[in-house]
Amino acid sequence: MALRPIDNALPITPERPKKQTKISALPTKKQQPEFGLVNDENKASLPPPADATIDYIPSENLKPITDPESKIQGLIEGLDSKDWTKVCESLNAVRQFALYHSSLLHPILEKVMLVLVKAMKNPRSALCKTSIMASSDVFSAFGDKLLDPTTDAFDSLLLQLLLKASQDKRFVCEEADKALAAMAKSMTPLSLLHQLRAYVTHANLRVRAKAAISISNAVSKMGLEDMKEFGLVSLVQMAVDKLNDRLPEAREAARNIAFCVYQAYTENEEQKQESWQTFCQSNLPAIHAQSLVKIASSQ
């Protein structure tokens, strides 16, 4: 028997699909970039490994080396190491040798200076700073003995110090300034002037300024005879060139150079201003002579 449809049955409607939960596109914790470093594929990249801890020991806290004669060979090997931390340790040993056992270090001075230059060029700040600190102690210990006409090791070291003193990294810049001051203090002014004169025309304006400051420090310790040996006219021309330099510290150094020459030149002159004016007018263009006379009269 056929079944009759039920009249009051409700029509069957298809079940509405459930609303899917919207998934956030934010990266998970593991996906989120760390330290602000993201590579080209938008994946997290790890920060560079941290430098090992390096102690920056003040010169006055360095101690003599026990049995230095037997350890000098180990120093040479350490300076040649490919491990930068060992090089740092060896540079600190260089400082000890320089301050307390300089006679043992003297035969390898050229090698030491070349290692200092190489370390200053290294991108690791710890190695760079340690090498600059070592250069200060080497300057203090050896002074003019670092000047060897058969090698350009000192010239390379001087250039690197001027470049580091011109950097934006404050702690490197300040340490390089200290090294340049130690250099000016330990070396005879005349010898140092011959080394520095090439850098007052350097393309880098900061290097020019640092060179001018070092020259100013050297000239302030010179007497008239040393100035004459270097060349009075050369000194005042150097000062004139820097009076219009872009950096104020270069201009200030130039004024100090000019005034030091003025003081030495007129030390035994009764008519100081007239004598200085005559000298300037005889050796410089009128506008430059006027600038130097004005500097002398303003002091």
Side-chain angles (χ1 to χ4, degrees):
M1 182 177 62
L3 298 176
R4 293 192 312 169
I6 303 174
D7 295 336
N8 60 350
L10 296 174
I12 299 175
T13 58
E15 183 179 357
R16 178 181 296 178
K18 295 182 179 179
K19 185 177 181 181
Q20 295 182 350
T21 303
K22 186 177 181 180
I23 299 175
S24 173
L26 291 175
T28 65
K29 184 175 181 181
K30 290 185 178 181
Q31 293 173 326
Q32 290 178 355
E34 299 178 357
F35 304 96
L37 298 175
V38 181
N39 60 19
D40 291 340
E41 298 171 355
N42 293 324
K43 295 180 181 180
S45 57
L46 296 176
D51 281 353
T53 301
I54 299 296
D55 293 329
Y56 303 118
I57 308 171
S59 299
E60 58 270 20
N61 292 343
L62 292 169
K63 305 297 182 183
I65 295 174
T66 303
D67 193 13
E69 290 83 0
S70 64
K71 294 184 178 179
I72 190 68
Q73 187 59 43
L75 173 67
I76 297 173
E77 294 174 0
L79 292 173
D80 286 332
S81 175
K82 296 186 182 301
D83 183 342
W84 71 271
T85 59
K86 290 186 180 297
V87 178
C88 278
E89 293 173 3
S90 299
L91 288 174
N92 278 326
V94 163
R95 301 174 63 198
Q96 294 174 280
F97 274 101
L99 295 176
Y100 297 105
H101 320 285
S102 59
S103 61
L104 295 175
L105 194 64
H106 186 266
I108 60 170
L109 275 180
E110 181 181 357
K111 178 177 183 60
V112 168
M113 286 191 284
L114 293 176
V115 172
L116 291 174
V117 170
K118 182 179 179 181
M120 285 183 202
K121 293 179 179 180
N122 193 287
R124 291 189 181 274
S125 298
L127 182 55
C128 178
K129 181 172 179 176
T130 302
S131 65
I132 295 173
M133 295 177 74
S135 68
S136 294
D137 293 323
V138 169
F139 285 139
S140 298
F142 294 102
D144 286 354
K145 294 178 182 178
L146 297 171
L147 301 176
D148 185 347
T150 64
T151 175
D152 61 354
F154 177 82
D155 190 58
S156 298
L157 178 58
L158 174 57
L159 175 58
Q160 282 306 309
L161 283 173
L162 291 171
L163 289 170
K164 294 305 174 184
S166 305
Q167 279 194 355
D168 292 328
K169 289 183 179 180
R170 184 175 178 180
F171 78 100
V172 172
C173 178
E174 289 178 349
E175 205 62 51
D177 281 336
K178 292 178 184 177
L180 290 172
M183 176 188 67
K185 182 178 180 180
S186 62
M187 302 182 74
T188 56
L190 186 58
S191 299
L192 190 55
L193 277 184
H194 287 296
Q195 300 295 322
L196 286 165
R197 67 186 308 169
Y199 297 108
V200 290
T201 56
H202 195 274
N204 185 319
L205 75 166
R206 292 185 178 181
V207 170
R208 292 200 304 268
K210 295 296 182 180
I213 292 170
S214 295
I215 289 173
S216 173
N217 291 335
V219 171
S220 65
K221 300 191 299 181
M222 295 175 73
L224 183 60
E225 292 306 313
D226 283 341
M227 291 182 184
K228 286 182 177 179
E229 185 173 348
F230 180 81
L232 283 173
V233 176
S234 296
L235 280 175
V236 294
Q237 286 177 336
M238 194 183 297
V240 164
D241 289 341
K242 296 299 103 187
L243 283 176
N244 296 316
D245 207 280
R246 289 170 58 187
L247 291 182
E249 52 263 46
R251 299 194 295 270
E252 179 60 29
R255 285 190 288 269
N256 187 61
I257 293 169
F259 186 69
C260 288
V261 177
Y262 161 75
Q263 282 187 312
Y265 186 81
T266 60
E267 185 176 5
N268 298 318
E269 296 287 343
E270 293 182 1
Q271 303 295 328
K272 292 186 176 183
Q273 196 66 27
E274 291 79 0
S275 176
W276 178 245
Q277 184 172 349
T278 301
F279 169 78
C280 292
Q281 290 175 343
S282 301
N283 294 285
L284 297 169
I287 189 170
H288 293 163
Q290 184 179 0
S291 296
L292 294 190
V293 171
K294 185 177 180 180
I295 289 173
S297 62
S298 64
Q299 299 295 324

